[in-house]
Amino acid sequence: MEIDEVAARVVRSYWALLLVMTVVPLVLVGLVMGGQEPPSVAQSRLQASSRATDAAPGDAGVSIVVSQVKAFATSENLLSEVLRQQRVDRSTVKVAKAIEVTGLGTSTIVELSVKDRDPGVARRLADAIGAAVVKEINASNQGSITQQMDEIDKRVRELEKKLGPLSRRAGAQPNPDIGAANERERVQAELTDLRSNRSDLQTQLSTAGTASVVQPAVLAPRTNPVVMMASIAGLVGLIGGILIAVVTEMVRPTIPGQRRVARRLGVPLLGWADRGPVQLGHLGRRTRLAAKKEGVGRVTLVGTPGPLPADLVSKVASAVYGDDTKVVTARPEKGEEDDGGDGDGPSLNSSGPGGKKSTSVVRAGGTAVITKKSEVSPSEVTQPVPVRRLCHVHAFEDIDPGSDEAVGVVVVVGPVTRVAGLETVRDLVAASGWPLLGVVATSRKFKG
């Protein structure tokens, strides 16, 4: 199946559904959001880490920093403490949903945004949450080092308290305490090691990096999201309509276009039944040619499915049967008198060979007009007049199934045809043995 046929099946058959599914959500979202005031947005910028190595990996490193900041900013404990300190009556769940964190390039600076209906509350929350996040990040990055340094300081103070008495005992005269002297040496060695370890930890602490607030909270310019949200709603509705149309087509397939139906049946498109007298004339001639080719003198019109409207059958039958014929009198040449013939209808002046007047057929507006000649040659009198074989058109319900006369089948289709309707036509042709002549197209759907 071609792509254009799939698109035509969805659009032609379900254009009303697609239109409703697109317009209704768009209008509803526009009406709902049109009466609401857009929330205020307060933005502050934080430096999550002062180490240059955090930004070295590029986008991956920035993603890690953004995730870390958002994890701290939306934590239940932090938000509860911030709301309590700021004395703001808000739900922690709603405040967490109103927080957004975005990266700025490949740096470790991120932008923290807080939405709230009150601009003052939005600024206060953004500042308080930013400060709390900075504190948490610093505690996370430096907490273990600081704890180790505190433990070392505590041990150093204990050893320094022991060192004084040991020194006095070791230097006592005239009997110095040898054990005290040995203990003093051990304490001094331990103090030396602890001070060295503390110096290393101090170096690590200085290189660990500290988070800080780069920019206090400021209110961002207000934007109206009605157009964007309405467009998104319309797009989602359109996608939903397409899905419904596709599922419906899977259950009840159709064929878009009259020419595609003709190609499916392997017959020509004979013409259009509702596009004016010119197209009707073409339809009649092509139908007569198709009937002559198959050797049938009777044509039945079949719908897909169901009976056809009587006026449609009459219109096609009139086009196939042909228009009424009038005999009119030709006007005499200049200077000649009228021969007194019948004066009904328009007259025509036509000259044949040798300047004699002849009989001719004129079609004007689909009406056949035969001029009445004023002179008839003997050869014309003796020649037989050709008679066109009539081709009768009936609705399928008016055909006598017991008749032995062969009948040609013509299928009448609209813009969209069900595949089940074509199977009904194939079953009819197979059961009756009648030849399938072609397809007649109509511009709109018809009901029997």
Side-chain angles (χ1 to χ4, degrees):
M1 186 179 296
E2 300 175 355
I3 299 292
D4 60 339
E5 182 175 350
V6 175
R9 287 171 62 177
V10 173
V11 174
R12 291 191 182 185
S13 303
Y14 305 97
W15 63 269
L17 172 66
L18 298 180
L19 182 62
V20 171
M21 292 292 291
T22 303
V23 173
V24 170
L26 190 148
V27 173
L28 288 178
V29 172
L31 292 177
V32 171
M33 297 191 65
Q36 298 179 355
E37 186 177 358
S40 301
V41 180
Q43 299 174 340
S44 64
R45 294 186 178 184
L46 311 177
Q47 185 171 14
S49 176
S50 61
R51 292 185 301 177
T53 55
D54 291 341
D59 294 339
V62 173
S63 178
I64 294 174
V65 172
V66 170
S67 301
Q68 182 187 31
V69 173
K70 189 164 186 179
F72 283 121
T74 57
S75 63
E76 181 73 17
N77 296 335
L78 185 144
L79 291 179
S80 300
E81 183 65 20
V82 168
L83 293 175
R84 186 185 63 81
Q85 293 177 357
Q86 298 297 321
R87 298 180 180 178
V88 176
D89 186 14
R90 298 286 188 274
S91 170
T92 56
V93 177
K94 292 184 178 180
V95 173
K97 292 180 179 180
I99 295 174
E100 293 184 3
V101 180
T102 55
L104 299 176
T106 57
S107 67
T108 57
I109 298 178
V110 297
E111 186 173 73
L112 175 68
S113 302
V114 179
K115 293 181 181 179
D116 194 87
R117 59 180 180 272
D118 189 345
V121 172
R123 288 188 61 181
R124 288 163 52 198
L125 288 179
D127 284 332
I129 293 173
V133 168
V134 166
K135 182 179 178 181
E136 291 291 336
I137 292 176
N138 289 333
S140 175
N141 294 339
Q142 304 172 4
S144 60
I145 300 176
T146 304
Q147 184 179 0
Q148 294 179 31
M149 292 178 63
D150 293 340
E151 293 176 356
I152 290 175
D153 291 339
K154 182 179 179 181
R155 180 60 179 169
V156 167
R157 287 193 296 270
E158 293 177 354
L159 293 176
E160 287 177 346
K161 288 181 180 179
K162 293 181 179 180
L163 187 59
L166 289 174
S167 298
R168 288 193 296 269
R169 289 167 54 190
Q173 294 297 331
N175 297 316
D177 191 345
I178 303 301
N182 293 334
E183 181 68 17
R184 182 187 63 182
E185 294 297 330
R186 188 190 65 79
V187 170
Q188 288 178 347
E190 186 178 356
L191 284 172
T192 302
D193 293 338
L194 289 175
R195 290 190 178 101
S196 177
N197 293 338
R198 192 180 189 284
S199 177
D200 294 339
L201 291 175
Q202 187 67 36
T203 303
Q204 294 180 18
L205 184 62
S206 62
T207 59
T210 56
S212 60
V213 177
V214 177
Q215 172 188 294
V218 293
L219 291 177
R222 286 195 175 185
T223 58
N224 193 352
V226 174
V227 176
M228 182 183 68
M229 296 302 296
S231 302
I232 294 175
L235 181 60
V236 172
L238 176 61
I239 295 174
I242 292 175
L243 292 178
I244 295 174
V246 169
V247 172
T248 306
E249 275 295 310
M250 293 173 63
V251 177
R252 190 185 60 181
T254 58
I255 303 174
Q258 298 84 346
R259 192 167 295 278
R260 287 190 177 93
V261 174
R263 286 204 299 264
R264 284 285 187 94
L265 295 175
V267 293
L269 180 63
L270 300 177
W272 295 81
D274 54 358
R275 288 192 175 180
V278 177
Q279 292 293 334
L280 271 176
H282 296 333
L283 170 62
R285 285 189 291 272
R286 292 171 184 169
T287 305
R288 288 196 297 269
L289 289 173
K292 181 180 179 182
K293 177 183 176 181
E294 298 294 338
V296 296
R298 195 175 298 274
V299 174
T300 179
L301 299 181
V302 179
T304 55
L308 299 172
D311 57 344
L312 177 62
V313 177
S314 300
K315 188 183 297 184
V316 176
S318 176
V320 174
Y321 184 78
D323 302 320
D324 295 335
T325 302
K326 290 183 180 181
V327 179
V328 299
T329 304
R331 294 194 183 189
E333 296 286 343
K334 204 180 261 187
E336 294 183 3
E337 298 294 333
D338 193 352
D339 59 357
D342 190 1
D344 293 339
S347 61
L348 176 70
N349 184 13
S350 176
S351 298
K356 296 183 179 181
K357 296 181 181 178
S358 62
T359 303
S360 62
V361 178
V362 178
R363 286 193 174 272
T367 302
V369 182
I370 302 178
T371 61
K372 188 174 182 181
K373 61 182 181 176
S374 57
E375 297 181 8
V376 181
S377 64
S379 60
E380 292 175 341
V381 173
T382 57
Q383 291 178 354
V385 177
V387 179
R388 190 184 72 189
R389 182 181 179 183
L390 297 179
C391 182
H392 300 281
V393 178
H394 303 279
F396 176 70
E397 293 75 16
D398 299 334
I399 295 293
D400 182 11
S403 175
D404 296 334
E405 185 178 3
V407 180
V409 179
V410 173
V411 184
V412 181
V413 298
V416 179
T417 306
R418 294 185 185 178
V419 174
L422 293 190
E423 295 301 327
T424 303
V425 173
R426 290 194 178 100
D427 294 340
L428 171 63
V429 173
S432 63
W434 294 342
L436 186 60
L437 303 182
V439 172
V440 173
T442 59
S443 301
R444 60 184 63 186
K445 293 181 180 180
F446 51 84
K447 298 181 180 179

